[in-house]
Every structure is written in C-alpha cells, then in structure tokens.
Amino acid sequence: MTMTTTDEIFEINPYEPHASLTPLEAGVLWEYAKLSQHVKDLTERTRQLSEAPDENLVARLRVLERKMGLVLTLFKASVWGVINEQPATDTSAQYADATADTTVRR
C-alpha cells in the first residue's frame, strides 16, 4: 500500500489494489479514510480559529460595544431625568413621631 497525500485520499482509493480486501471492504475503508481526513481538516481549522481571533468579528464586536455604551449612557440620563422630575417630599414629618422624645418627666 502506498502513502497518499491528503488531497489524493478523496480521489484515489488506496485500499483498492490490496489483494486480501474485497471491493466492499476496500470501499468502506476508503470512506473511513476520507472521514478521518475531514476530521483532521476540521481540527486544524478550529485550532487556527482558536489561536488567532477573527478580525472581522472583533471589529463588529467593537462597534456593538460602542453602541451599548451609548445606550447605557442614555438610559442613565433618562433615569436621572425621571428622578429629578419627581417632587421633593418633606420626609422630616414622617420621622417626627418616631424620633420624638417620649421620656416621662416629673
């Protein structure tokens, strides 16, 4: 059996000339070899993606981050506006009874 390159595995069945294999067995082994190569390619691609960030994704996330910062600022400003629109209440009357001196004097 000869060694094949990664691209050749999809074009040439390396198990076909093997004398002790039936055509069905050679075909099954070829499908496993192609599946194995797909998994190796996928592993390599995921390794590349995990080692170096996707610049397009990073740029899009930066834009989103700026927009979210603007939304947060506007939200804080609107909450501040709502708080400032409420009338000021005199809370000293509410606590007057609770803090009143109840000491009995003779």
XYZ file of all heavy atoms in Angstrom:
840
model
N 0.847 -1.173 0.000
C 0.000 0.000 0.000
C 0.890 1.232 0.000
O 1.801 1.335 0.801
C -0.905 -0.011 1.237
C -1.873 1.112 1.254
S -3.322 0.720 2.218
C -2.841 1.309 3.795
N 0.625 2.196 -0.874
C 1.444 3.401 -0.976
C 0.832 4.509 -0.145
O -0.375 4.553 0.083
C 1.536 3.859 -2.445
O 0.229 4.154 -2.904
C 2.173 2.781 -3.308
N 1.673 5.402 0.303
C 1.198 6.553 1.073
C 0.642 7.604 0.114
O 1.240 7.874 -0.926
C 2.348 7.171 1.891
C 2.860 6.256 2.993
S 1.605 5.855 4.211
C 1.364 7.433 4.968
N -0.484 8.172 0.460
C -1.116 9.185 -0.381
C -1.113 10.513 0.347
O -1.080 10.564 1.575
C -2.560 8.798 -0.721
O -3.292 8.662 0.499
C -2.617 7.511 -1.501
N -1.155 11.576 -0.413
C -1.246 12.896 0.199
C -2.684 13.145 0.611
O -3.601 12.400 0.262
C -0.770 13.991 -0.775
O -1.648 14.011 -1.889
C 0.658 13.750 -1.219
N -2.896 14.230 1.331
C -4.221 14.497 1.871
C -5.255 14.750 0.779
O -6.409 14.368 0.931
C -4.184 15.709 2.819
O -3.705 16.849 2.115
C -3.311 15.424 4.016
N -4.867 15.368 -0.338
C -5.817 15.630 -1.416
C -6.132 14.375 -2.216
O -7.237 14.213 -2.722
C -5.294 16.726 -2.347
C -5.246 18.081 -1.656
O -6.005 18.290 -0.694
O -4.437 18.923 -2.084
N -5.164 13.479 -2.317
C -5.359 12.264 -3.104
C -6.337 11.293 -2.456
O -6.951 10.488 -3.143
C -4.023 11.556 -3.334
C -3.122 12.269 -4.300
C -1.779 11.561 -4.440
O -1.483 10.665 -3.618
O -1.035 11.918 -5.355
N -6.487 11.374 -1.143
C -7.378 10.437 -0.457
C -8.816 10.589 -0.936
O -9.597 9.637 -0.891
C -7.274 10.588 1.084
C -7.904 9.394 1.809
C -7.958 11.845 1.554
C -7.131 8.142 1.655
N -9.175 11.767 -1.419
C -10.539 11.993 -1.901
C -10.722 11.565 -3.359
O -11.848 11.468 -3.834
C -10.921 13.461 -1.731
C -10.934 13.904 -0.291
C -9.976 14.773 0.187
C -11.896 13.422 0.582
C -9.992 15.175 1.521
C -11.918 13.817 1.910
C -10.956 14.689 2.388
N -9.631 11.313 -4.062
C -9.713 10.961 -5.481
C -9.374 9.501 -5.759
O -9.981 8.875 -6.629
C -8.760 11.860 -6.288
C -9.099 13.327 -6.176
C -8.013 14.219 -6.742
O -7.053 13.689 -7.332
O -8.107 15.434 -6.575
N -8.415 8.966 -5.018
C -7.924 7.616 -5.284
C -8.125 6.749 -4.045
O -7.749 7.142 -2.940
C -6.424 7.644 -5.658
C -6.205 8.510 -6.894
C -5.897 6.240 -5.883
C -4.746 8.788 -7.185
N -8.703 5.575 -4.240
C -8.883 4.629 -3.144
C -7.572 3.877 -2.930
O -7.196 3.028 -3.737
C -10.018 3.658 -3.469
C -10.317 2.723 -2.316
O -9.596 2.678 -1.330
N -11.391 1.969 -2.448
N -6.872 4.147 -1.811
C -5.590 3.474 -1.593
C -5.748 2.003 -1.216
O -4.784 1.247 -1.246
C -4.952 4.267 -0.455
C -6.108 4.852 0.274
C -7.170 5.104 -0.759
N -6.946 1.587 -0.858
C -7.183 0.206 -0.439
C -7.619 -0.692 -1.594
O -7.692 -1.906 -1.441
C -8.251 0.173 0.666
C -7.860 0.990 1.863
C -8.390 2.260 2.072
C -6.941 0.504 2.781
C -8.033 3.016 3.164
C -6.569 1.255 3.881
C -7.121 2.511 4.060
O -6.741 3.245 5.138
N -7.903 -0.125 -2.747
C -8.405 -0.895 -3.881
C -7.427 -1.968 -4.386
O -7.841 -3.108 -4.635
C -8.788 0.057 -5.017
C -9.623 -0.564 -6.081
C -10.129 0.494 -7.046
O -9.316 1.342 -7.471
O -11.313 0.461 -7.359
N -6.135 -1.676 -4.514
C -5.231 -2.708 -5.040
C -4.855 -3.791 -4.027
O -4.163 -4.745 -4.376
C -4.003 -1.912 -5.472
C -4.012 -0.703 -4.638
C -5.465 -0.399 -4.377
N -5.305 -3.652 -2.784
C -4.922 -4.626 -1.752
C -5.588 -5.964 -2.059
O -6.802 -6.065 -2.234
C -5.335 -4.118 -0.370
C -4.586 -4.757 0.738
N -4.883 -5.999 1.225
C -3.521 -4.313 1.451
C -4.061 -6.300 2.201
N -3.213 -5.285 2.358
N -4.777 -7.035 -2.107
C -5.251 -8.347 -2.557
C -6.184 -9.031 -1.562
O -7.081 -9.772 -1.955
C -4.057 -9.246 -2.844
N -5.995 -8.773 -0.261
C -6.788 -9.504 0.726
C -8.118 -8.814 1.071
O -8.828 -9.290 1.948
C -5.968 -9.729 1.997
O -5.671 -8.485 2.590
N -8.434 -7.713 0.409
C -9.692 -6.996 0.683
C -10.679 -7.174 -0.455
O -10.308 -7.132 -1.626
C -9.416 -5.493 0.881
C -8.582 -5.087 2.086
C -8.320 -3.590 2.047
C -9.269 -5.464 3.384
N -11.927 -7.352 -0.089
C -12.976 -7.386 -1.106
C -13.242 -5.948 -1.547
O -12.869 -4.994 -0.835
C -14.274 -7.995 -0.541
O -14.791 -7.131 0.469
C -14.036 -9.392 0.017
N -13.888 -5.761 -2.681
C -14.205 -4.387 -3.108
C -15.063 -3.635 -2.093
O -14.863 -2.445 -1.884
C -14.954 -4.582 -4.422
C -14.463 -5.887 -4.948
C -14.199 -6.733 -3.730
N -15.969 -4.329 -1.426
C -16.803 -3.685 -0.406
C -15.955 -3.240 0.787
O -16.092 -2.118 1.274
C -17.908 -4.633 0.061
C -18.840 -4.083 1.143
C -19.570 -2.850 0.631
C -19.811 -5.144 1.606
N -15.050 -4.108 1.238
C -14.178 -3.750 2.359
C -13.266 -2.584 1.977
O -13.043 -1.670 2.789
C -13.339 -4.956 2.771
C -14.142 -6.059 3.423
C -13.331 -7.334 3.633
O -12.353 -7.564 2.886
O -13.689 -8.090 4.545
N -12.735 -2.605 0.780
C -11.878 -1.505 0.321
C -12.667 -0.199 0.269
O -12.153 0.862 0.649
C -11.294 -1.838 -1.049
N -13.912 -0.286 -0.189
C -14.750 0.918 -0.245
C -15.064 1.472 1.131
O -15.039 2.685 1.364
N -15.352 0.575 2.083
C -15.640 1.009 3.457
C -14.399 1.651 4.078
O -14.481 2.709 4.722
C -16.151 -0.172 4.304
C -16.210 0.196 5.776
C -17.524 -0.623 3.821
N -13.252 1.017 3.904
C -12.015 1.594 4.445
C -11.700 2.945 3.810
O -11.200 3.858 4.476
C -10.840 0.623 4.242
C -10.853 -0.613 5.134
C -9.725 -1.556 4.740
C -10.733 -0.218 6.597
N -12.004 3.108 2.541
C -11.777 4.382 1.863
C -12.677 5.463 2.451
O -12.248 6.587 2.685
C -12.011 4.224 0.360
C -11.652 5.426 -0.452
C -10.714 6.366 -0.160
C -12.212 5.808 -1.702
N -10.649 7.313 -1.152
C -11.566 6.983 -2.113
C -13.191 5.256 -2.518
C -11.878 7.636 -3.291
C -13.490 5.904 -3.704
C -12.843 7.077 -4.081
N -13.942 5.114 2.695
C -14.856 6.087 3.304
C -14.368 6.500 4.693
O -14.441 7.668 5.064
C -16.280 5.520 3.384
C -16.956 5.375 2.040
C -17.084 6.689 1.292
O -17.377 7.723 1.931
O -16.887 6.689 0.068
N -13.862 5.541 5.471
C -13.294 5.873 6.782
C -12.076 6.776 6.644
O -11.873 7.703 7.435
C -12.919 4.611 7.557
C -14.073 3.997 8.303
C -14.510 2.713 7.996
C -14.724 4.689 9.320
C -15.570 2.142 8.678
C -15.779 4.127 9.999
C -16.208 2.851 9.678
O -17.252 2.296 10.345
N -11.247 6.517 5.652
C -10.065 7.351 5.422
C -10.470 8.773 5.056
O -9.869 9.747 5.531
C -9.197 6.737 4.326
N -11.500 8.905 4.209
C -11.977 10.253 3.845
C -12.573 10.963 5.059
O -12.327 12.159 5.278
C -13.001 10.167 2.711
C -12.389 9.751 1.384
C -13.342 9.895 0.217
C -14.422 8.860 0.223
N -15.283 8.888 -0.970
N -13.351 10.220 5.861
C -13.918 10.803 7.081
C -12.817 11.247 8.031
O -12.886 12.334 8.623
C -14.844 9.790 7.758
C -15.486 10.223 9.070
C -16.394 11.425 8.854
C -16.256 9.071 9.677
N -11.798 10.412 8.165
C -10.658 10.759 9.021
C -9.977 12.039 8.542
O -9.609 12.905 9.350
C -9.660 9.613 9.042
O -8.505 9.977 9.757
N -9.824 12.186 7.241
C -9.192 13.394 6.698
C -10.063 14.625 6.954
O -9.556 15.699 7.277
C -8.913 13.241 5.206
C -8.101 14.369 4.634
C -6.763 14.542 5.344
O -6.053 13.581 5.590
N -6.426 15.767 5.683
N -11.381 14.474 6.826
C -12.285 15.595 7.125
C -12.156 16.025 8.585
O -12.128 17.221 8.896
C -13.737 15.221 6.818
C -14.099 15.265 5.375
N -14.013 16.406 4.615
C -14.561 14.301 4.547
C -14.390 16.147 3.379
N -14.730 14.867 3.305
N -12.074 15.055 9.487
C -11.925 15.368 10.911
C -10.595 16.063 11.165
O -10.522 17.030 11.938
C -12.078 14.093 11.766
C -11.699 14.353 13.213
C -13.498 13.560 11.681
N -9.528 15.596 10.513
C -8.217 16.247 10.668
C -8.263 17.685 10.155
O -7.715 18.597 10.792
C -7.140 15.465 9.918
C -6.776 14.154 10.573
C -5.770 13.392 9.726
C -5.498 12.021 10.303
N -4.613 11.223 9.437
N -8.895 17.891 9.018
C -9.021 19.249 8.465
C -9.828 20.142 9.399
O -9.478 21.310 9.621
C -9.678 19.217 7.084
C -8.803 18.546 6.032
O -7.589 18.392 6.273
O -9.360 18.170 4.972
N -10.907 19.612 9.958
C -11.738 20.377 10.887
C -10.972 20.733 12.154
O -11.051 21.855 12.653
C -13.000 19.582 11.227
C -13.980 20.242 12.174
C -14.552 21.512 11.557
C -15.092 19.275 12.527
N -10.205 19.783 12.652
C -9.391 20.027 13.850
C -8.369 21.132 13.588
O -8.182 22.032 14.423
C -8.675 18.736 14.279
O -9.647 17.729 14.520
C -7.854 18.959 15.524
N -7.720 21.075 12.448
C -6.734 22.102 12.096
C -7.381 23.474 11.975
O -6.847 24.477 12.460
C -6.023 21.722 10.798
C -4.991 22.733 10.340
C -3.855 22.921 11.329
O -3.522 21.972 12.064
O -3.297 24.030 11.388
N -8.542 23.518 11.350
C -9.233 24.813 11.167
C -9.686 25.387 12.509
O -9.546 26.584 12.748
C -10.432 24.633 10.230
C -11.186 25.898 9.952
C -10.341 26.880 9.159
N -11.110 28.084 8.929
C -10.640 29.309 9.058
N -9.378 29.494 9.371
N -11.403 30.339 8.852
N -10.207 24.550 13.393
C -10.620 25.055 14.704
C -9.418 25.505 15.520
O -9.515 26.472 16.273
C -11.417 23.995 15.483
O -10.669 22.800 15.560
C -12.757 23.744 14.851
N -8.288 24.821 15.370
C -7.063 25.251 16.061
C -6.635 26.634 15.558
O -6.265 27.500 16.338
C -5.950 24.224 15.848
C -4.687 24.562 16.627
C -3.618 23.491 16.497
N -4.081 22.258 17.115
C -4.193 21.091 16.476
N -3.862 20.992 15.206
N -4.622 20.017 17.096
N -6.708 26.844 14.246
C -6.350 28.150 13.681
C -7.284 29.236 14.192
O -6.840 30.342 14.527
C -6.421 28.104 12.152
C -5.339 27.298 11.494
C -5.589 27.130 9.995
O -6.616 27.534 9.479
N -4.626 26.532 9.309
N -8.562 28.937 14.269
C -9.524 29.938 14.742
C -9.348 30.252 16.217
O -9.557 31.385 16.645
C -10.955 29.469 14.479
C -11.395 29.476 13.027
C -12.770 28.845 12.891
C -11.406 30.894 12.481
N -8.976 29.247 17.008
C -8.826 29.490 18.436
C -7.531 30.223 18.763
O -7.457 30.937 19.760
C -8.895 28.176 19.213
O -7.764 27.375 18.921
N -6.511 30.065 17.925
C -5.230 30.726 18.195
C -5.241 32.186 17.783
O -4.663 33.023 18.457
C -4.106 29.983 17.472
C -3.807 28.631 18.063
C -2.808 27.833 17.254
O -2.414 28.277 16.151
O -2.413 26.744 17.723
N -5.888 32.521 16.706
C -5.921 33.899 16.218
C -7.384 34.352 16.155
O -8.214 33.655 15.587
C -5.294 33.981 14.830
N -7.681 35.499 16.741
C -9.068 35.955 16.714
C -9.504 36.346 15.306
O -8.694 36.761 14.479
C -9.060 37.169 17.648
C -7.654 37.646 17.618
C -6.805 36.420 17.432
N -10.774 36.221 15.076
C -11.352 36.610 13.799
C -11.464 38.138 13.784
O -12.232 38.719 14.550
C -12.730 35.957 13.644
C -13.361 36.242 12.310
O -12.670 36.790 11.427
O -14.546 35.915 12.144
N -10.669 38.776 12.950
C -10.603 40.240 12.933
C -11.947 40.866 12.568
O -12.315 41.907 13.100
C -9.518 40.724 11.975
C -8.112 40.357 12.420
C -7.757 40.910 13.794
O -8.165 42.047 14.113
O -7.089 40.200 14.555
N -12.679 40.251 11.664
C -13.993 40.767 11.282
C -14.942 40.739 12.481
O -15.657 41.703 12.744
C -14.565 39.951 10.124
C -15.862 40.512 9.616
O -16.138 41.695 9.756
N -16.668 39.650 9.027
N -14.938 39.634 13.222
C -15.787 39.508 14.398
C -15.381 40.509 15.468
O -16.235 41.137 16.102
C -15.715 38.088 14.950
C -16.535 37.813 16.205
C -18.020 38.032 15.932
C -16.273 36.415 16.702
N -14.088 40.683 15.678
C -13.606 41.639 16.686
C -14.045 43.060 16.320
O -14.494 43.820 17.182
C -12.067 41.539 16.827
C -11.525 42.675 17.682
C -11.680 40.198 17.418
N -13.948 43.425 15.059
C -14.365 44.764 14.632
C -15.861 44.963 14.844
O -16.295 46.029 15.314
C -14.000 44.974 13.162
N -16.658 43.937 14.527
C -18.107 44.053 14.716
C -18.464 44.143 16.197
O -19.369 44.872 16.589
C -18.809 42.869 14.065
C -18.751 42.959 12.549
C -19.252 41.745 11.806
N -20.383 41.069 12.400
C -20.646 39.782 12.224
N -19.852 39.056 11.467
N -21.695 39.230 12.787
N -17.738 43.416 17.036
C -17.990 43.481 18.472
C -17.606 44.839 19.049
O -18.247 45.325 19.983
C -17.247 42.360 19.196
C -17.838 40.962 19.009
C -16.928 39.921 19.651
C -19.237 40.875 19.584
N -16.562 45.470 18.510
C -16.185 46.810 18.972
C -17.274 47.823 18.659
O -17.584 48.693 19.481
C -14.862 47.234 18.327
C -13.669 46.566 18.935
C -12.364 47.145 18.422
N -11.256 46.378 18.944
C -10.329 45.806 18.204
N -10.364 45.930 16.892
N -9.360 45.119 18.755
N -17.856 47.714 17.469
C -18.961 48.611 17.108
C -20.135 48.389 18.055
O -20.748 49.342 18.554
C -19.380 48.378 15.629
C -20.672 49.099 15.308
C -18.273 48.828 14.701
N -20.452 47.140 18.334
C -21.540 46.820 19.250
C -21.253 47.345 20.652
O -22.151 47.858 21.325
C -21.763 45.309 19.286
C -22.874 44.806 20.194
C -24.221 45.349 19.731
C -22.882 43.290 20.222
N -20.007 47.253 21.078
C -19.626 47.749 22.401
C -19.837 49.261 22.504
O -20.345 49.761 23.507
C -18.165 47.396 22.669
C -17.663 47.811 24.031
C -16.205 47.457 24.236
O -15.474 47.302 23.240
O -15.799 47.362 25.398
N -19.471 49.987 21.458
C -19.693 51.437 21.470
C -21.184 51.767 21.514
O -21.609 52.667 22.232
C -19.043 52.083 20.244
C -17.539 52.228 20.366
C -16.972 53.156 19.303
N -17.164 52.655 17.952
C -16.311 51.861 17.307
N -15.214 51.480 17.895
N -16.561 51.475 16.074
N -21.968 51.041 20.747
C -23.416 51.280 20.748
C -24.023 50.978 22.114
O -24.884 51.711 22.589
C -24.103 50.430 19.673
C -23.823 50.908 18.261
C -24.500 50.025 17.238
C -24.195 50.484 15.825
N -24.824 49.606 14.821
N -23.582 49.897 22.744
C -24.097 49.553 24.068
C -23.683 50.593 25.099
O -24.435 50.897 26.022
C -23.611 48.159 24.484
C -24.249 47.038 23.695
S -26.045 47.018 23.787
C -26.286 46.707 25.517
N -22.491 51.151 24.962
C -22.071 52.230 25.860
C -22.965 53.439 25.709
O -23.349 54.083 26.697
N -23.333 53.765 24.471
C -24.235 54.886 24.224
C -25.607 54.602 24.801
O -26.223 55.469 25.435
C -24.332 55.157 22.720
C -25.272 56.284 22.297
C -24.813 57.608 22.886
C -25.346 56.359 20.782
N -26.111 53.393 24.627
C -27.421 53.024 25.182
C -27.400 53.130 26.700
O -28.341 53.652 27.311
C -27.818 51.602 24.722
C -29.004 51.084 25.510
C -28.129 51.590 23.237
N -26.329 52.663 27.334
C -26.225 52.747 28.793
C -26.208 54.201 29.252
O -26.879 54.554 30.231
C -24.972 52.025 29.271
C -24.726 52.052 30.783
C -25.850 51.347 31.518
C -23.389 51.424 31.117
N -25.472 55.043 28.561
C -25.422 56.464 28.922
C -26.800 57.103 28.788
O -27.236 57.849 29.680
C -24.406 57.197 28.028
O -23.127 56.579 28.197
C -24.318 58.661 28.394
N -27.500 56.833 27.699
C -28.842 57.386 27.514
C -29.814 56.857 28.563
O -30.680 57.591 29.044
C -29.351 57.080 26.103
C -28.604 57.773 24.972
C -29.095 57.262 23.624
C -28.755 59.276 25.071
N -29.687 55.589 28.930
C -30.547 55.014 29.958
C -30.310 55.700 31.300
O -31.259 56.058 32.002
C -30.300 53.512 30.072
C -31.115 52.849 31.144
C -32.471 52.628 30.957
C -30.534 52.443 32.330
C -33.229 52.022 31.925
C -31.280 51.837 33.309
C -32.631 51.624 33.120
N -29.046 55.893 31.662
C -28.733 56.576 32.923
C -29.284 57.998 32.923
O -29.815 58.467 33.928
C -27.219 56.606 33.154
C -26.633 55.288 33.556
C -25.127 55.437 33.740
C -24.463 54.147 34.122
N -23.010 54.325 34.297
N -29.150 58.688 31.780
C -29.654 60.057 31.688
C -31.174 60.087 31.831
O -31.729 60.983 32.487
C -29.234 60.679 30.358
N -31.876 59.126 31.245
C -33.331 59.120 31.355
C -33.770 58.791 32.780
O -34.733 59.362 33.275
C -33.949 58.137 30.366
O -33.559 56.819 30.672
N -33.072 57.889 33.453
C -33.398 57.589 34.850
C -33.143 58.815 35.714
O -33.958 59.162 36.580
C -32.581 56.373 35.353
C -32.686 56.220 36.860
C -33.035 55.113 34.650
N -32.052 59.503 35.466
C -31.749 60.723 36.219
C -32.834 61.772 35.986
O -33.260 62.463 36.903
C -30.388 61.257 35.802
C -29.985 62.517 36.520
C -29.972 63.775 36.031
C -29.566 62.613 37.878
N -29.565 64.662 36.974
C -29.303 63.978 38.141
C -29.386 61.699 38.895
C -28.874 64.424 39.366
C -28.942 62.154 40.125
C -28.689 63.501 40.355
N -33.301 61.875 34.738
C -34.363 62.826 34.429
C -35.659 62.484 35.150
O -36.359 63.370 35.657
N -36.005 61.219 35.215
C -37.226 60.804 35.911
C -37.102 61.093 37.399
O -38.048 61.573 38.034
C -37.503 59.298 35.669
C -38.572 58.770 36.592
C -37.887 59.063 34.222
N -35.950 60.830 37.957
C -35.749 61.087 39.388
C -35.846 62.579 39.672
O -36.451 63.006 40.669
C -34.397 60.522 39.855
C -34.449 58.996 39.841
C -34.018 61.039 41.234
C -33.124 58.326 40.106
N -35.283 63.409 38.820
C -35.311 64.855 39.034
C -36.697 65.446 38.811
O -37.000 66.521 39.339
C -34.301 65.554 38.132
C -32.903 65.429 38.678
O -32.708 65.227 39.868
N -31.924 65.528 37.803
N -37.565 64.806 38.038
C -38.910 65.321 37.802
C -39.846 65.074 38.980
O -40.854 65.754 39.105
C -39.514 64.677 36.540
C -38.900 65.188 35.256
C -39.478 64.483 34.035
O -40.372 63.631 34.197
O -39.019 64.790 32.929
N -39.514 64.132 39.827
C -40.375 63.844 40.974
C -40.295 64.998 41.962
O -39.226 65.549 42.207
C -39.949 62.543 41.652
C -40.145 61.324 40.786
C -39.644 60.055 41.465
O -39.016 60.100 42.503
N -39.937 58.919 40.842
N -41.465 65.367 42.541
C -41.446 66.479 43.505
C -40.699 66.072 44.773
O -40.732 64.915 45.185
C -42.920 66.723 43.793
C -43.597 65.442 43.452
C -42.788 64.819 42.365
N -40.017 67.040 45.330
C -39.286 66.781 46.564
C -40.294 66.667 47.696
O -41.173 67.512 47.853
C -38.295 67.897 46.834
N -40.186 65.612 48.475
C -41.108 65.416 49.594
C -40.392 65.737 50.892
O -39.181 65.527 51.026
C -41.618 63.969 49.627
O -40.503 63.087 49.720
C -42.409 63.642 48.368
N -41.148 66.227 51.843
C -40.595 66.543 53.149
C -40.661 65.286 54.001
O -41.713 64.925 54.512
C -41.383 67.684 53.797
C -40.730 68.141 55.092
O -39.549 67.818 55.300
O -41.415 68.811 55.881
N -39.549 64.623 54.135
C -39.511 63.372 54.883
C -39.364 63.600 56.381
O -39.527 62.672 57.150
C -38.347 62.495 54.402
O -37.125 63.211 54.543
C -38.548 62.079 52.954
N -39.124 64.801 56.800
C -38.947 65.049 58.229
C -40.253 64.840 58.980
O -40.250 64.441 60.144
C -38.398 66.448 58.474
O -39.328 67.415 57.996
N -41.397 65.059 58.341
C -42.682 64.850 59.001
C -42.931 63.361 59.230
O -43.567 62.995 60.223
C -43.800 65.447 58.163
N -42.463 62.521 58.374
C -42.666 61.080 58.527
C -41.902 60.542 59.732
O -42.366 59.641 60.412
C -42.185 60.334 57.282
C -42.995 60.602 56.051
C -42.384 59.915 54.821
O -41.283 59.402 54.877
N -43.122 59.952 53.721
N -40.755 61.124 60.013
C -39.927 60.622 61.101
C -40.092 61.429 62.394
O -39.470 61.111 63.378
C -38.453 60.627 60.688
C -38.190 59.759 59.476
C -37.839 60.307 58.262
C -38.308 58.389 59.569
C -37.612 59.511 57.153
C -38.083 57.585 58.475
C -37.726 58.147 57.270
O -37.508 57.365 56.185
N -40.928 62.400 62.366
C -41.093 63.237 63.547
C -41.633 62.436 64.717
O -41.169 62.577 65.848
C -42.009 64.415 63.238
N -42.620 61.577 64.481
C -43.201 60.789 65.570
C -42.220 59.722 66.055
O -42.174 59.417 67.235
C -44.495 60.128 65.094
C -45.571 61.167 64.799
O -45.513 62.244 65.415
O -46.444 60.886 63.952
N -41.464 59.165 65.190
C -40.546 58.102 65.574
C -39.383 58.628 66.378
O -38.858 57.917 67.227
C -40.044 57.386 64.322
N -38.999 59.865 66.158
C -37.838 60.407 66.876
C -38.249 61.342 68.000
O -37.388 61.926 68.638
C -36.920 61.146 65.900
O -37.658 62.211 65.289
C -36.375 60.205 64.845
N -39.522 61.489 68.213
C -39.972 62.407 69.273
C -39.530 61.863 70.626
O -39.495 60.666 70.860
C -41.483 62.547 69.230
N -39.235 62.785 71.487
C -38.799 62.414 72.838
C -40.005 61.954 73.620
O -40.952 62.704 73.850
C -38.150 63.623 73.498
C -37.528 63.263 74.833
O -37.416 62.050 75.107
O -37.169 64.174 75.563
N -39.987 60.679 74.057
C -41.107 60.132 74.819
C -40.724 59.889 76.271
O -41.363 59.099 76.967
C -41.566 58.807 74.171
O -40.456 57.912 74.131
C -42.110 59.032 72.772
N -39.721 60.587 76.738
C -39.271 60.430 78.102
C -40.310 61.052 79.049
O -40.788 62.164 78.849
C -37.926 61.115 78.321
O -37.005 60.632 77.365
C -37.407 60.861 79.727
N -40.653 60.308 80.077
C -41.604 60.814 81.074
C -40.845 61.693 82.034
O -39.844 61.290 82.610
C -42.267 59.633 81.819
C -43.202 60.144 82.892
C -42.971 58.709 80.862
N -41.338 62.897 82.226
C -40.662 63.833 83.123
C -41.546 64.128 84.315
O -42.745 64.254 84.205
C -40.383 65.125 82.357
C -39.492 64.812 81.189
C -38.698 65.965 80.796
N -37.731 65.405 79.836
C -37.400 65.914 78.716
N -37.861 67.018 78.385
N -36.555 65.343 77.935
N -40.971 64.279 85.486
C -41.730 64.572 86.687
C -41.536 65.961 87.135
O -40.710 66.678 86.994
C -41.297 63.648 87.800
C -41.615 62.247 87.479
C -41.190 61.424 88.609
N -41.136 60.069 88.131
C -41.037 59.068 88.872
N -40.964 59.195 90.149
N -40.976 57.885 88.394
